[in-house]
Amino acid sequence: MTRSGLHPAEVAGIILASVAPTPVEHVPLMAALGAVLAHEIVAPLSVPPWRSASMDGYAVRASDIGSVPCRLRVTGETPAGADRAAPLGPEEAVKIMTGAPVPEGADTVIRIEDTEPGTESVDIHRDRDRGRNVRPLGEDFRAGVVLLPARSRITPAAIGVLASAGISSVAIHRPPTVSLVASGDELVRIDGFQQVLDGKRIVSSNSYSLPAMVRDAGGLPRDGGITVDDPVALRNAIDGAMACDILITSGGVSVGERDFTRTVMADMGADIKFWRARIRPGGPIVFATLDGRPWIGLPGNPVSALVTFELFVRPAILRMLGATHVFPPTFPVTIDEPVAVSGDLTHYLRAIVTTTANGMHARLTGTQSSAALTSMMRANALLIVPEGRKEYDAGTRLRAIPLGTVPARSDTFPA
Ligand code: AMP
Ligand code: MG
């Protein structure tokens, strides 16, 4: 039997077609880490802005050290941060520190170890540095070059480059606001935990894990609360959560008689783009736009909610942040245990990937129940098991999606 629903790539395509980068705002440099630049940044000056020493030693003229040892007259000293010394005449040397401006006329810095300082002179006994150790003006970058193209992600190194160019604020796409509404008669917040102990309720873990995911993706979560399984209550909650760039609900998207998300979408005049994807977990995902706003109806199961977030919501947030490359990367892994699936869906199995001398190896985190959130917590990757085949022997190569910023750290220093 072929399952109904869209292929996951179609799901991503439809959702991304409904989102656009948010308006641009200017933020202080340090607030821009992880954001995406809205406009390119052109270097306002060259860095280093002058020729500078790359060693502690003596600035000299290469032509003066034609034969070593030799003795030069010391005419000054330039510590880092000091003014450039007067132009260097023949047979002269200036004592200089790393980073300090090299005087005009000098084209060489002889490292200190190759010298013997006297009172007013210096003896130079090796010439291996002839013509060396002077960093050219603009060695790092020249005035007028594009330092960072539009749409580049602001990394710690980029922050350092921008700082060195004197740029203290940047234009980025403002982080999208993401409203989250959880639905389910059984759900309470942690402060209602007594009801869990009484055996009546469960904690709405999605009300905690999904905002955390939003923040991790670079968005701003807005708490739309928990609603009971009732169309009016759900509609009221959605009305109250509309001040956002993306609306996310969890739960109520399946075929149960108390699953009202799609009914409410239709009642509110939302344009339902699709329901159901040929994936596990997360099959019953639904997507609509309401007054132009994307509304992603995630399934309630805690693992399904997080996996579908990773596959479809994070890329949407990244697109709103202005990124061009929004999909998770994949990498090859060898499975260390046999894997059996239904064969008619793409499965995203929670896996622990380890780096070994023979490449990346994957094992499952144990139960793949979409209610077992610990399987997601322990995973550092999602193993992609494509539609079509039911059984895979240990040793098979598949692909995996890393979870978290660093997928699988190694136990050995990289060589
Ligand atoms: P649903 O998608 O509403 O059919 O819910 C599927 C399963 O996920 C049920 O076992 C629910 O109790 C559970 N569930 C729904 N919403 C949440 C939530 N916000 N947090 C934790 N579990 C949930
Ligand atoms: Mg429910």
Side-chain angles (χ1 to χ4, degrees), residues 183 186 229 252 259:
S183 69
E186 72 282 30
D229 288 318
D259 287 334

Side-chain angles (χ1 to χ4, degrees), residues 18-63:
S18 299
V19 300
T22 55
V24 172
E25 65 178 15
H26 288 261
V27 297
L29 183 58
M30 286 310 288
L33 180 64
V36 176
L37 264 190
H39 312 299
E40 69 176 19
I41 292 185
V42 172
L45 82 174
S46 299
V47 167
W50 15 258
R51 298 190 313 136
S52 57
S54 66
M55 287 266 188
D56 293 327
Y58 286 86
V60 304
R61 301 148 63 109
S63 56

Side-chain angles (χ1 to χ4, degrees), residues 182-183 186-187 202-207 250-254 259 299-302:
S183 69
E186 72 282 30
L187 305 174
I202 60 166
V203 172
S204 175
S205 58
N206 293 349
S207 298
S250 87
V253 287
S254 208
D259 287 334
N301 262 314

Side-chain angles (χ1 to χ4, degrees), residues 32 50 87 97-98 103 113-114 116 128 138 147 162 174 183 196-197 233 282 298 308 318 328 364 386 399:
W50 15 258
M97 311 299 155
T98 304
E113 303 93 297
D114 293 353
E116 193 63 57
R128 58 178 160 166
L147 269 186
L162 295 174
R174 85 169 157 66
S183 69
V196 178
L197 297 177
L298 301 180
T308 47
L318 291 175
L364 303 186
R399 297 191 75 82

